[in-house]
Amino acid sequence: MKLHLIINMYGEIVSFYLTPGNIHDANEKVIDKLTTGLTGKLVGDRGYLSTKNFKNLWNKGIKLITKIRKNMKNKLMDFEEKMLLRKRAVIESVFSKLKESYHLEHSRHRSKDNFLGHLLATLCAYKFDSRKPSIYACPVAQINGF
């Protein structure tokens, strides 16, 4: 199984979608389900990149920002988008935290219901965690001078 996540700039999970492992990341149905009700900028990796997905997201009011593949023409990007692209590693930090702190990777599930219950419990526990990875370099406590 493959877990697709969309997080906001504070590290909070906005949307998630679960697919079998053999479904490609750039599948139109996956992207459509993930981005239902969203607008703005969406930073992703090269796996989600396709011309059709880019156009569909653009029509929904979402700008997909990714690094380009080797065989693609260079696209102009403003400074803010380049900086957002550098912060793409935050999603990897979220996955790392889900795996290490909440034991998301678990190979002993005996049933589908047990697997889904464990997945939802993990996502709920993450939601209530006060120390989520975020785009901002310093936590609120340091900004306030504590």
Side-chain angles (χ1 to χ4, degrees), residues 31-94:
I31 303 291
D32 189 46
K33 295 274 187 182
L34 270 173
T35 58
T36 301
L38 298 178
T39 57
K41 296 181 181 181
L42 183 64
V43 180
D45 61 2
R46 291 181 184 117
Y48 292 96
L49 186 60
S50 77
T51 306
K52 195 169 188 181
N53 282 339
F54 184 82
K55 289 178 183 177
N56 289 342
L57 290 173
W58 185 264
N59 291 335
K60 288 172 71 172
I62 300 172
K63 183 172 184 183
L64 180 63
I65 303 168
T66 62
K67 289 186 176 180
I68 59 171
R69 293 187 179 139
K70 291 179 182 179
N71 61 350
M72 295 176 64
K73 293 180 182 176
N74 197 1
K75 303 276 184 187
L76 281 176
M77 230 186 266
D78 63 6
F79 183 73
E80 178 186 1
E81 292 168 355
K82 285 183 182 181
M83 292 298 108
L84 281 174
L85 202 52
R86 284 184 172 182
K87 299 293 184 177
R88 202 193 66 74
V90 172
I91 189 70
E92 301 301 331
S93 299
V94 170

Side-chain angles (χ1 to χ4, degrees), residues 9 23 39 46 60 68 90 93 101 124 128-129 132 144:
M9 64 187 119
I23 301 294
T39 57
R46 291 181 184 117
K60 288 172 71 172
I68 59 171
V90 172
S93 299
S101 299
C124 288
F128 291 109
D129 188 357
K132 296 178 180 78
N144 293 334

